[in-house]
Amino acid sequence: MQVLNFKDLNNINFPKTAVALGSFEALHAGHLNIIENTVKCAKENNIKSIITIFREPVLKNRITVCETFRERLEIIESTGADYVVVFDFNDEFKKLEYFEFFYTVYTFVNCYRVIMEYRNVTLYYNLIVTFF
């Protein structure tokens, strides 16, 4: 598994990819399901898998993070993911609208399919978006 920083994406020519788009600050069963489905999708379509994570938890005082950054990388590596793209939640990143974030990732990684979590106050959805 190759670990990349978000800033390095424009220097890499990616093959087609399946992307698990999320912060994955604390890896619970639902997050692992999304990651495993992304890896499975990539293998079934003979493409590469990318998992996005934040280096540090965004909601530091609102969630308890059980795994360190290194432990999260090890867990993701155990799923067979090809790449992990690491984001730093800094002042520049905070200014991005969600669509800008999504479009930037989609543009840089030659995205074929995105699997992500959508949060709507009381409900969680796993969305699968396919690009042709």
Side-chain angles (χ1 to χ4, degrees):
M1 180 178 80
Q2 189 172 358
V3 180
L4 307 166
N5 287 313
F6 176 68
K7 294 177 183 178
D8 299 331
L9 292 184
N10 58 354
N11 299 323
I12 299 170
N13 186 16
F14 282 98
K16 276 193 174 178
T17 62
V19 179
L21 192 58
S23 61
F24 302 116
E25 297 164 319
L27 291 174
H28 54 70
H31 285 153
L32 290 173
N33 186 357
I34 292 169
I35 292 167
E36 289 166 352
N37 283 337
T38 302
V39 171
K40 179 181 175 190
C41 170
K43 290 183 186 312
E44 288 174 351
N45 289 282
N46 200 30
I47 58 180
K48 298 293 183 181
S49 58
I50 294 178
I51 314 303
T52 65
I53 66 171
F54 287 155
R55 185 176 312 279
E56 296 294 329
V58 176
L59 304 173
K60 287 181 187 176
N61 54 351
R62 292 180 55 198
I63 63 170
T64 301
V65 177
C66 302
E67 307 94 7
T68 65
F69 175 70
R70 178 67 41 207
E71 289 169 334
R72 287 185 291 143
L73 288 178
E74 290 171 2
I75 292 167
I76 293 169
E77 185 172 31
S78 75
T79 68
D82 296 303
Y83 300 97
V84 170
V85 175
V86 180
F87 296 92
D88 291 307
F89 196 78
N90 54 28
D91 290 337
E92 181 182 339
F93 189 87
K94 288 178 192 176
K95 294 176 186 174
L96 288 177
E97 295 290 332
Y98 187 77
F99 180 78
E100 292 174 295
F101 168 67
F102 179 84
Y103 183 75
T104 302
V105 171
Y106 164 76
T107 302
F108 283 137
V109 300
N110 193 18
C111 192
Y112 166 74
R113 183 164 284 172
V114 173
I115 301 172
M116 62 185 168
E117 180 181 82
Y118 170 72
R119 194 174 311 177
N120 177 355
V121 185
T122 57
L123 300 173
Y124 289 87
Y125 301 95
N126 286 335
L127 300 178
I128 300 175
V129 182
T130 302
F131 303 94
F132 298 97

PDB file of all heavy atoms in Angstrom, residues 74-107:
ATOM      1  N   GLU A  74      -2.380   0.788   9.330  1.00  0.00           N
ATOM      2  CA  GLU A  74      -2.190  -0.662   9.380  1.00  0.00           C
ATOM      3  C   GLU A  74      -3.509  -1.399   9.145  1.00  0.00           C
ATOM      4  O   GLU A  74      -3.546  -2.407   8.434  1.00  0.00           O
ATOM      5  CB  GLU A  74      -1.583  -1.069  10.726  1.00  0.00           C
ATOM      6  CG  GLU A  74      -0.141  -0.638  10.879  1.00  0.00           C
ATOM      7  CD  GLU A  74       0.406  -0.840  12.289  1.00  0.00           C
ATOM      8  OE1 GLU A  74      -0.327  -1.356  13.167  1.00  0.00           O
ATOM      9  OE2 GLU A  74       1.578  -0.470  12.504  1.00  0.00           O
ATOM     10  N   ILE A  75      -4.582  -0.908   9.729  1.00  0.00           N
ATOM     11  CA  ILE A  75      -5.895  -1.526   9.528  1.00  0.00           C
ATOM     12  C   ILE A  75      -6.298  -1.432   8.064  1.00  0.00           C
ATOM     13  O   ILE A  75      -6.763  -2.403   7.467  1.00  0.00           O
ATOM     14  CB  ILE A  75      -6.950  -0.879  10.451  1.00  0.00           C
ATOM     15  CG1 ILE A  75      -6.655  -1.215  11.912  1.00  0.00           C
ATOM     16  CG2 ILE A  75      -8.360  -1.331  10.068  1.00  0.00           C
ATOM     17  CD1 ILE A  75      -7.445  -0.385  12.915  1.00  0.00           C
ATOM     18  N   ILE A  76      -6.117  -0.258   7.484  1.00  0.00           N
ATOM     19  CA  ILE A  76      -6.486  -0.079   6.067  1.00  0.00           C
ATOM     20  C   ILE A  76      -5.618  -0.962   5.184  1.00  0.00           C
ATOM     21  O   ILE A  76      -6.111  -1.590   4.240  1.00  0.00           O
ATOM     22  CB  ILE A  76      -6.400   1.405   5.670  1.00  0.00           C
ATOM     23  CG1 ILE A  76      -7.480   2.203   6.408  1.00  0.00           C
ATOM     24  CG2 ILE A  76      -6.530   1.572   4.160  1.00  0.00           C
ATOM     25  CD1 ILE A  76      -7.340   3.704   6.307  1.00  0.00           C
ATOM     26  N   GLU A  77      -4.340  -1.052   5.484  1.00  0.00           N
ATOM     27  CA  GLU A  77      -3.451  -1.906   4.696  1.00  0.00           C
ATOM     28  C   GLU A  77      -3.906  -3.366   4.740  1.00  0.00           C
ATOM     29  O   GLU A  77      -3.833  -4.084   3.736  1.00  0.00           O
ATOM     30  CB  GLU A  77      -2.019  -1.781   5.192  1.00  0.00           C
ATOM     31  CG  GLU A  77      -1.033  -2.558   4.345  1.00  0.00           C
ATOM     32  CD  GLU A  77       0.405  -2.291   4.718  1.00  0.00           C
ATOM     33  OE1 GLU A  77       0.681  -2.018   5.902  1.00  0.00           O
ATOM     34  OE2 GLU A  77       1.251  -2.353   3.809  1.00  0.00           O
ATOM     35  N   SER A  78      -4.433  -3.798   5.882  1.00  0.00           N
ATOM     36  CA  SER A  78      -4.896  -5.186   6.014  1.00  0.00           C
ATOM     37  C   SER A  78      -6.087  -5.502   5.114  1.00  0.00           C
ATOM     38  O   SER A  78      -6.374  -6.669   4.859  1.00  0.00           O
ATOM     39  CB  SER A  78      -5.234  -5.499   7.477  1.00  0.00           C
ATOM     40  OG  SER A  78      -6.454  -4.903   7.855  1.00  0.00           O
ATOM     41  N   THR A  79      -6.774  -4.479   4.613  1.00  0.00           N
ATOM     42  CA  THR A  79      -7.914  -4.701   3.711  1.00  0.00           C
ATOM     43  C   THR A  79      -7.465  -4.935   2.274  1.00  0.00           C
ATOM     44  O   THR A  79      -8.272  -5.307   1.435  1.00  0.00           O
ATOM     45  CB  THR A  79      -8.886  -3.503   3.724  1.00  0.00           C
ATOM     46  OG1 THR A  79      -8.248  -2.366   3.130  1.00  0.00           O
ATOM     47  CG2 THR A  79      -9.369  -3.192   5.127  1.00  0.00           C
ATOM     48  N   GLY A  80      -6.192  -4.665   1.984  1.00  0.00           N
ATOM     49  CA  GLY A  80      -5.693  -4.841   0.623  1.00  0.00           C
ATOM     50  C   GLY A  80      -5.773  -3.586  -0.225  1.00  0.00           C
ATOM     51  O   GLY A  80      -5.608  -3.652  -1.447  1.00  0.00           O
ATOM     52  N   ALA A  81      -6.019  -2.434   0.389  1.00  0.00           N
ATOM     53  CA  ALA A  81      -6.095  -1.171  -0.368  1.00  0.00           C
ATOM     54  C   ALA A  81      -4.763  -0.887  -1.059  1.00  0.00           C
ATOM     55  O   ALA A  81      -3.696  -1.211  -0.541  1.00  0.00           O
ATOM     56  CB  ALA A  81      -6.458  -0.027   0.565  1.00  0.00           C
ATOM     57  N   ASP A  82      -4.846  -0.263  -2.239  1.00  0.00           N
ATOM     58  CA  ASP A  82      -3.641   0.064  -3.005  1.00  0.00           C
ATOM     59  C   ASP A  82      -3.001   1.367  -2.537  1.00  0.00           C
ATOM     60  O   ASP A  82      -1.782   1.457  -2.460  1.00  0.00           O
ATOM     61  CB  ASP A  82      -3.978   0.174  -4.494  1.00  0.00           C
ATOM     62  CG  ASP A  82      -4.450  -1.148  -5.065  1.00  0.00           C
ATOM     63  OD1 ASP A  82      -3.688  -2.132  -4.964  1.00  0.00           O
ATOM     64  OD2 ASP A  82      -5.580  -1.200  -5.583  1.00  0.00           O
ATOM     65  N   TYR A  83      -3.835   2.382  -2.279  1.00  0.00           N
ATOM     66  CA  TYR A  83      -3.333   3.702  -1.889  1.00  0.00           C
ATOM     67  C   TYR A  83      -4.137   4.247  -0.720  1.00  0.00           C
ATOM     68  O   TYR A  83      -5.334   3.980  -0.606  1.00  0.00           O
ATOM     69  CB  TYR A  83      -3.486   4.724  -3.023  1.00  0.00           C
ATOM     70  CG  TYR A  83      -2.769   4.414  -4.300  1.00  0.00           C
ATOM     71  CD1 TYR A  83      -3.425   3.808  -5.360  1.00  0.00           C
ATOM     72  CD2 TYR A  83      -1.432   4.775  -4.468  1.00  0.00           C
ATOM     73  CE1 TYR A  83      -2.766   3.539  -6.558  1.00  0.00           C
ATOM     74  CE2 TYR A  83      -0.771   4.509  -5.654  1.00  0.00           C
ATOM     75  CZ  TYR A  83      -1.444   3.885  -6.692  1.00  0.00           C
ATOM     76  OH  TYR A  83      -0.788   3.633  -7.876  1.00  0.00           O
ATOM     77  N   VAL A  84      -3.480   5.048   0.106  1.00  0.00           N
ATOM     78  CA  VAL A  84      -4.163   5.887   1.097  1.00  0.00           C
ATOM     79  C   VAL A  84      -3.738   7.314   0.801  1.00  0.00           C
ATOM     80  O   VAL A  84      -2.551   7.600   0.651  1.00  0.00           O
ATOM     81  CB  VAL A  84      -3.774   5.521   2.546  1.00  0.00           C
ATOM     82  CG1 VAL A  84      -4.306   6.556   3.525  1.00  0.00           C
ATOM     83  CG2 VAL A  84      -4.306   4.148   2.910  1.00  0.00           C
ATOM     84  N   VAL A  85      -4.718   8.209   0.683  1.00  0.00           N
ATOM     85  CA  VAL A  85      -4.438   9.629   0.494  1.00  0.00           C
ATOM     86  C   VAL A  85      -4.752  10.325   1.810  1.00  0.00           C
ATOM     87  O   VAL A  85      -5.862  10.237   2.321  1.00  0.00           O
ATOM     88  CB  VAL A  85      -5.258  10.230  -0.664  1.00  0.00           C
ATOM     89  CG1 VAL A  85      -5.032  11.727  -0.753  1.00  0.00           C
ATOM     90  CG2 VAL A  85      -4.895   9.552  -1.976  1.00  0.00           C
ATOM     91  N   VAL A  86      -3.742  11.010   2.349  1.00  0.00           N
ATOM     92  CA  VAL A  86      -3.841  11.643   3.661  1.00  0.00           C
ATOM     93  C   VAL A  86      -4.092  13.140   3.500  1.00  0.00           C
ATOM     94  O   VAL A  86      -3.381  13.817   2.750  1.00  0.00           O
ATOM     95  CB  VAL A  86      -2.544  11.417   4.470  1.00  0.00           C
ATOM     96  CG1 VAL A  86      -2.639  12.085   5.832  1.00  0.00           C
ATOM     97  CG2 VAL A  86      -2.260   9.933   4.608  1.00  0.00           C
ATOM     98  N   PHE A  87      -5.094  13.621   4.217  1.00  0.00           N
ATOM     99  CA  PHE A  87      -5.420  15.045   4.234  1.00  0.00           C
ATOM    100  C   PHE A  87      -5.063  15.633   5.582  1.00  0.00           C
ATOM    101  O   PHE A  87      -5.262  14.994   6.613  1.00  0.00           O
ATOM    102  CB  PHE A  87      -6.917  15.261   3.994  1.00  0.00           C
ATOM    103  CG  PHE A  87      -7.377  14.821   2.646  1.00  0.00           C
ATOM    104  CD1 PHE A  87      -7.856  13.540   2.443  1.00  0.00           C
ATOM    105  CD2 PHE A  87      -7.316  15.685   1.566  1.00  0.00           C
ATOM    106  CE1 PHE A  87      -8.273  13.123   1.198  1.00  0.00           C
ATOM    107  CE2 PHE A  87      -7.729  15.280   0.314  1.00  0.00           C
ATOM    108  CZ  PHE A  87      -8.208  13.999   0.130  1.00  0.00           C
ATOM    109  N   ASP A  88      -4.534  16.828   5.569  1.00  0.00           N
ATOM    110  CA  ASP A  88      -4.314  17.583   6.797  1.00  0.00           C
ATOM    111  C   ASP A  88      -5.427  18.614   6.902  1.00  0.00           C
ATOM    112  O   ASP A  88      -5.629  19.407   5.973  1.00  0.00           O
ATOM    113  CB  ASP A  88      -2.953  18.280   6.769  1.00  0.00           C
ATOM    114  CG  ASP A  88      -1.821  17.281   6.859  1.00  0.00           C
ATOM    115  OD1 ASP A  88      -1.837  16.466   7.799  1.00  0.00           O
ATOM    116  OD2 ASP A  88      -0.929  17.302   5.994  1.00  0.00           O
ATOM    117  N   PHE A  89      -6.166  18.574   7.996  1.00  0.00           N
ATOM    118  CA  PHE A  89      -7.278  19.499   8.180  1.00  0.00           C
ATOM    119  C   PHE A  89      -6.725  20.823   8.689  1.00  0.00           C
ATOM    120  O   PHE A  89      -6.724  21.109   9.872  1.00  0.00           O
ATOM    121  CB  PHE A  89      -8.314  18.918   9.145  1.00  0.00           C
ATOM    122  CG  PHE A  89      -9.625  19.620   9.088  1.00  0.00           C
ATOM    123  CD1 PHE A  89     -10.512  19.372   8.061  1.00  0.00           C
ATOM    124  CD2 PHE A  89      -9.974  20.538  10.054  1.00  0.00           C
ATOM    125  CE1 PHE A  89     -11.733  20.014   8.008  1.00  0.00           C
ATOM    126  CE2 PHE A  89     -11.197  21.191  10.013  1.00  0.00           C
ATOM    127  CZ  PHE A  89     -12.068  20.927   8.985  1.00  0.00           C
ATOM    128  N   ASN A  90      -6.243  21.637   7.760  1.00  0.00           N
ATOM    129  CA  ASN A  90      -5.641  22.925   8.105  1.00  0.00           C
ATOM    130  C   ASN A  90      -6.551  24.072   7.659  1.00  0.00           C
ATOM    131  O   ASN A  90      -7.651  23.840   7.158  1.00  0.00           O
ATOM    132  CB  ASN A  90      -4.250  23.042   7.471  1.00  0.00           C
ATOM    133  CG  ASN A  90      -4.300  22.800   5.970  1.00  0.00           C
ATOM    134  OD1 ASN A  90      -5.305  23.050   5.316  1.00  0.00           O
ATOM    135  ND2 ASN A  90      -3.208  22.297   5.421  1.00  0.00           N
ATOM    136  N   ASP A  91      -6.098  25.307   7.840  1.00  0.00           N
ATOM    137  CA  ASP A  91      -6.923  26.465   7.490  1.00  0.00           C
ATOM    138  C   ASP A  91      -7.290  26.493   6.011  1.00  0.00           C
ATOM    139  O   ASP A  91      -8.406  26.855   5.652  1.00  0.00           O
ATOM    140  CB  ASP A  91      -6.211  27.766   7.884  1.00  0.00           C
ATOM    141  CG  ASP A  91      -6.141  27.954   9.386  1.00  0.00           C
ATOM    142  OD1 ASP A  91      -6.979  27.359  10.105  1.00  0.00           O
ATOM    143  OD2 ASP A  91      -5.243  28.680   9.852  1.00  0.00           O
ATOM    144  N   GLU A  92      -6.366  26.100   5.155  1.00  0.00           N
ATOM    145  CA  GLU A  92      -6.639  26.068   3.713  1.00  0.00           C
ATOM    146  C   GLU A  92      -7.719  25.039   3.396  1.00  0.00           C
ATOM    147  O   GLU A  92      -8.647  25.293   2.638  1.00  0.00           O
ATOM    148  CB  GLU A  92      -5.346  25.727   2.966  1.00  0.00           C
ATOM    149  CG  GLU A  92      -5.489  25.678   1.463  1.00  0.00           C
ATOM    150  CD  GLU A  92      -4.179  25.288   0.797  1.00  0.00           C
ATOM    151  OE1 GLU A  92      -3.112  25.448   1.418  1.00  0.00           O
ATOM    152  OE2 GLU A  92      -4.232  24.821  -0.348  1.00  0.00           O
ATOM    153  N   PHE A  93      -7.607  23.875   4.007  1.00  0.00           N
ATOM    154  CA  PHE A  93      -8.584  22.819   3.772  1.00  0.00           C
ATOM    155  C   PHE A  93      -9.964  23.211   4.288  1.00  0.00           C
ATOM    156  O   PHE A  93     -10.978  22.909   3.667  1.00  0.00           O
ATOM    157  CB  PHE A  93      -8.124  21.518   4.432  1.00  0.00           C
ATOM    158  CG  PHE A  93      -8.952  20.334   4.057  1.00  0.00           C
ATOM    159  CD1 PHE A  93      -8.661  19.611   2.919  1.00  0.00           C
ATOM    160  CD2 PHE A  93     -10.048  19.962   4.820  1.00  0.00           C
ATOM    161  CE1 PHE A  93      -9.440  18.525   2.548  1.00  0.00           C
ATOM    162  CE2 PHE A  93     -10.823  18.880   4.468  1.00  0.00           C
ATOM    163  CZ  PHE A  93     -10.519  18.162   3.321  1.00  0.00           C
ATOM    164  N   LYS A  94     -10.021  23.910   5.414  1.00  0.00           N
ATOM    165  CA  LYS A  94     -11.294  24.318   6.011  1.00  0.00           C
ATOM    166  C   LYS A  94     -12.118  25.205   5.078  1.00  0.00           C
ATOM    167  O   LYS A  94     -13.334  25.255   5.186  1.00  0.00           O
ATOM    168  CB  LYS A  94     -11.065  25.083   7.314  1.00  0.00           C
ATOM    169  CG  LYS A  94     -10.596  24.246   8.457  1.00  0.00           C
ATOM    170  CD  LYS A  94     -10.360  25.119   9.672  1.00  0.00           C
ATOM    171  CE  LYS A  94      -9.625  24.388  10.740  1.00  0.00           C
ATOM    172  NZ  LYS A  94      -9.308  25.248  11.884  1.00  0.00           N
ATOM    173  N   LYS A  95     -11.460  25.891   4.156  1.00  0.00           N
ATOM    174  CA  LYS A  95     -12.157  26.809   3.246  1.00  0.00           C
ATOM    175  C   LYS A  95     -12.853  26.086   2.098  1.00  0.00           C
ATOM    176  O   LYS A  95     -13.678  26.677   1.411  1.00  0.00           O
ATOM    177  CB  LYS A  95     -11.162  27.828   2.674  1.00  0.00           C
ATOM    178  CG  LYS A  95     -10.605  28.755   3.734  1.00  0.00           C
ATOM    179  CD  LYS A  95      -9.564  29.675   3.146  1.00  0.00           C
ATOM    180  CE  LYS A  95      -8.898  30.500   4.236  1.00  0.00           C
ATOM    181  NZ  LYS A  95      -7.778  31.295   3.719  1.00  0.00           N
ATOM    182  N   LEU A  96     -12.514  24.821   1.882  1.00  0.00           N
ATOM    183  CA  LEU A  96     -13.115  24.085   0.770  1.00  0.00           C
ATOM    184  C   LEU A  96     -14.576  23.748   1.043  1.00  0.00           C
ATOM    185  O   LEU A  96     -14.918  23.288   2.137  1.00  0.00           O
ATOM    186  CB  LEU A  96     -12.370  22.762   0.541  1.00  0.00           C
ATOM    187  CG  LEU A  96     -10.992  22.803  -0.063  1.00  0.00           C
ATOM    188  CD1 LEU A  96     -10.417  21.386  -0.126  1.00  0.00           C
ATOM    189  CD2 LEU A  96     -10.999  23.421  -1.444  1.00  0.00           C
ATOM    190  N   GLU A  97     -15.425  23.969   0.063  1.00  0.00           N
ATOM    191  CA  GLU A  97     -16.786  23.447   0.117  1.00  0.00           C
ATOM    192  C   GLU A  97     -16.706  21.954  -0.189  1.00  0.00           C
ATOM    193  O   GLU A  97     -15.766  21.488  -0.833  1.00  0.00           O
ATOM    194  CB  GLU A  97     -17.665  24.146  -0.936  1.00  0.00           C
ATOM    195  CG  GLU A  97     -17.858  25.614  -0.680  1.00  0.00           C
ATOM    196  CD  GLU A  97     -18.737  25.876   0.532  1.00  0.00           C
ATOM    197  OE1 GLU A  97     -19.590  25.033   0.851  1.00  0.00           O
ATOM    198  OE2 GLU A  97     -18.557  26.928   1.163  1.00  0.00           O
ATOM    199  N   TYR A  98     -17.707  21.183   0.268  1.00  0.00           N
ATOM    200  CA  TYR A  98     -17.656  19.739   0.057  1.00  0.00           C
ATOM    201  C   TYR A  98     -17.503  19.403  -1.425  1.00  0.00           C
ATOM    202  O   TYR A  98     -16.728  18.530  -1.797  1.00  0.00           O
ATOM    203  CB  TYR A  98     -18.900  19.057   0.627  1.00  0.00           C
ATOM    204  CG  TYR A  98     -18.763  17.567   0.572  1.00  0.00           C
ATOM    205  CD1 TYR A  98     -17.964  16.902   1.508  1.00  0.00           C
ATOM    206  CD2 TYR A  98     -19.364  16.819  -0.414  1.00  0.00           C
ATOM    207  CE1 TYR A  98     -17.796  15.538   1.455  1.00  0.00           C
ATOM    208  CE2 TYR A  98     -19.201  15.449  -0.479  1.00  0.00           C
ATOM    209  CZ  TYR A  98     -18.424  14.815   0.461  1.00  0.00           C
ATOM    210  OH  TYR A  98     -18.243  13.467   0.397  1.00  0.00           O
ATOM    211  N   PHE A  99     -18.248  20.102  -2.287  1.00  0.00           N
ATOM    212  CA  PHE A  99     -18.165  19.806  -3.707  1.00  0.00           C
ATOM    213  C   PHE A  99     -16.760  20.071  -4.243  1.00  0.00           C
ATOM    214  O   PHE A  99     -16.264  19.313  -5.075  1.00  0.00           O
ATOM    215  CB  PHE A  99     -19.185  20.626  -4.517  1.00  0.00           C
ATOM    216  CG  PHE A  99     -19.126  20.331  -5.978  1.00  0.00           C
ATOM    217  CD1 PHE A  99     -19.705  19.176  -6.478  1.00  0.00           C
ATOM    218  CD2 PHE A  99     -18.461  21.176  -6.855  1.00  0.00           C
ATOM    219  CE1 PHE A  99     -19.638  18.874  -7.824  1.00  0.00           C
ATOM    220  CE2 PHE A  99     -18.381  20.880  -8.200  1.00  0.00           C
ATOM    221  CZ  PHE A  99     -18.971  19.732  -8.694  1.00  0.00           C
ATOM    222  N   GLU A 100     -16.102  21.124  -3.778  1.00  0.00           N
ATOM    223  CA  GLU A 100     -14.725  21.407  -4.209  1.00  0.00           C
ATOM    224  C   GLU A 100     -13.788  20.271  -3.796  1.00  0.00           C
ATOM    225  O   GLU A 100     -12.932  19.845  -4.567  1.00  0.00           O
ATOM    226  CB  GLU A 100     -14.217  22.713  -3.592  1.00  0.00           C
ATOM    227  CG  GLU A 100     -14.896  23.962  -4.102  1.00  0.00           C
ATOM    228  CD  GLU A 100     -14.431  25.183  -3.344  1.00  0.00           C
ATOM    229  OE1 GLU A 100     -14.706  25.267  -2.129  1.00  0.00           O
ATOM    230  OE2 GLU A 100     -13.788  26.037  -3.975  1.00  0.00           O
ATOM    231  N   PHE A 101     -13.959  19.786  -2.577  1.00  0.00           N
ATOM    232  CA  PHE A 101     -13.166  18.667  -2.087  1.00  0.00           C
ATOM    233  C   PHE A 101     -13.403  17.443  -2.964  1.00  0.00           C
ATOM    234  O   PHE A 101     -12.469  16.798  -3.447  1.00  0.00           O
ATOM    235  CB  PHE A 101     -13.523  18.391  -0.632  1.00  0.00           C
ATOM    236  CG  PHE A 101     -12.994  17.103  -0.082  1.00  0.00           C
ATOM    237  CD1 PHE A 101     -11.629  16.913   0.080  1.00  0.00           C
ATOM    238  CD2 PHE A 101     -13.858  16.094   0.301  1.00  0.00           C
ATOM    239  CE1 PHE A 101     -11.137  15.721   0.602  1.00  0.00           C
ATOM    240  CE2 PHE A 101     -13.369  14.909   0.824  1.00  0.00           C
ATOM    241  CZ  PHE A 101     -12.016  14.722   0.971  1.00  0.00           C
ATOM    242  N   PHE A 102     -14.665  17.112  -3.170  1.00  0.00           N
ATOM    243  CA  PHE A 102     -15.038  15.949  -3.975  1.00  0.00           C
ATOM    244  C   PHE A 102     -14.477  16.078  -5.391  1.00  0.00           C
ATOM    245  O   PHE A 102     -13.867  15.153  -5.917  1.00  0.00           O
ATOM    246  CB  PHE A 102     -16.567  15.833  -4.013  1.00  0.00           C
ATOM    247  CG  PHE A 102     -17.062  14.682  -4.827  1.00  0.00           C
ATOM    248  CD1 PHE A 102     -17.143  13.421  -4.271  1.00  0.00           C
ATOM    249  CD2 PHE A 102     -17.451  14.864  -6.140  1.00  0.00           C
ATOM    250  CE1 PHE A 102     -17.603  12.350  -5.023  1.00  0.00           C
ATOM    251  CE2 PHE A 102     -17.909  13.804  -6.894  1.00  0.00           C
ATOM    252  CZ  PHE A 102     -17.987  12.537  -6.333  1.00  0.00           C
ATOM    253  N   TYR A 103     -14.662  17.224  -6.026  1.00  0.00           N
ATOM    254  CA  TYR A 103     -14.206  17.427  -7.396  1.00  0.00           C
ATOM    255  C   TYR A 103     -12.683  17.361  -7.491  1.00  0.00           C
ATOM    256  O   TYR A 103     -12.137  16.783  -8.437  1.00  0.00           O
ATOM    257  CB  TYR A 103     -14.699  18.773  -7.933  1.00  0.00           C
ATOM    258  CG  TYR A 103     -14.317  18.983  -9.376  1.00  0.00           C
ATOM    259  CD1 TYR A 103     -14.997  18.312 -10.396  1.00  0.00           C
ATOM    260  CD2 TYR A 103     -13.261  19.821  -9.727  1.00  0.00           C
ATOM    261  CE1 TYR A 103     -14.637  18.481 -11.722  1.00  0.00           C
ATOM    262  CE2 TYR A 103     -12.894  19.995 -11.044  1.00  0.00           C
ATOM    263  CZ  TYR A 103     -13.583  19.322 -12.038  1.00  0.00           C
ATOM    264  OH  TYR A 103     -13.216  19.478 -13.343  1.00  0.00           O
ATOM    265  N   THR A 104     -11.998  17.911  -6.517  1.00  0.00           N
ATOM    266  CA  THR A 104     -10.532  17.868  -6.515  1.00  0.00           C
ATOM    267  C   THR A 104     -10.036  16.436  -6.445  1.00  0.00           C
ATOM    268  O   THR A 104      -9.170  16.028  -7.222  1.00  0.00           O
ATOM    269  CB  THR A 104      -9.972  18.685  -5.336  1.00  0.00           C
ATOM    270  OG1 THR A 104     -10.439  20.027  -5.454  1.00  0.00           O
ATOM    271  CG2 THR A 104      -8.460  18.681  -5.330  1.00  0.00           C
ATOM    272  N   VAL A 105     -10.599  15.650  -5.539  1.00  0.00           N
ATOM    273  CA  VAL A 105     -10.198  14.243  -5.445  1.00  0.00           C
ATOM    274  C   VAL A 105     -10.537  13.524  -6.740  1.00  0.00           C
ATOM    275  O   VAL A 105      -9.702  12.823  -7.317  1.00  0.00           O
ATOM    276  CB  VAL A 105     -10.864  13.560  -4.230  1.00  0.00           C
ATOM    277  CG1 VAL A 105     -10.626  12.057  -4.257  1.00  0.00           C
ATOM    278  CG2 VAL A 105     -10.354  14.168  -2.935  1.00  0.00           C
ATOM    279  N   TYR A 106     -11.756  13.699  -7.227  1.00  0.00           N
ATOM    280  CA  TYR A 106     -12.198  13.038  -8.460  1.00  0.00           C
ATOM    281  C   TYR A 106     -11.272  13.368  -9.631  1.00  0.00           C
ATOM    282  O   TYR A 106     -10.869  12.498 -10.392  1.00  0.00           O
ATOM    283  CB  TYR A 106     -13.635  13.476  -8.778  1.00  0.00           C
ATOM    284  CG  TYR A 106     -14.065  13.191 -10.185  1.00  0.00           C
ATOM    285  CD1 TYR A 106     -14.403  11.907 -10.568  1.00  0.00           C
ATOM    286  CD2 TYR A 106     -14.114  14.204 -11.136  1.00  0.00           C
ATOM    287  CE1 TYR A 106     -14.795  11.641 -11.869  1.00  0.00           C
ATOM    288  CE2 TYR A 106     -14.502  13.947 -12.431  1.00  0.00           C
ATOM    289  CZ  TYR A 106     -14.837  12.665 -12.794  1.00  0.00           C
ATOM    290  OH  TYR A 106     -15.210  12.398 -14.082  1.00  0.00           O
ATOM    291  N   THR A 107     -10.881  14.621  -9.758  1.00  0.00           N
ATOM    292  CA  THR A 107     -10.045  15.063 -10.861  1.00  0.00           C
ATOM    293  C   THR A 107      -8.646  14.456 -10.795  1.00  0.00           C
ATOM    294  O   THR A 107      -8.126  13.969 -11.793  1.00  0.00           O
ATOM    295  CB  THR A 107      -9.931  16.601 -10.858  1.00  0.00           C
ATOM    296  OG1 THR A 107     -11.245  17.143 -10.958  1.00  0.00           O
ATOM    297  CG2 THR A 107      -9.099  17.098 -12.009  1.00  0.00           C
TER     298      THR A 107
END
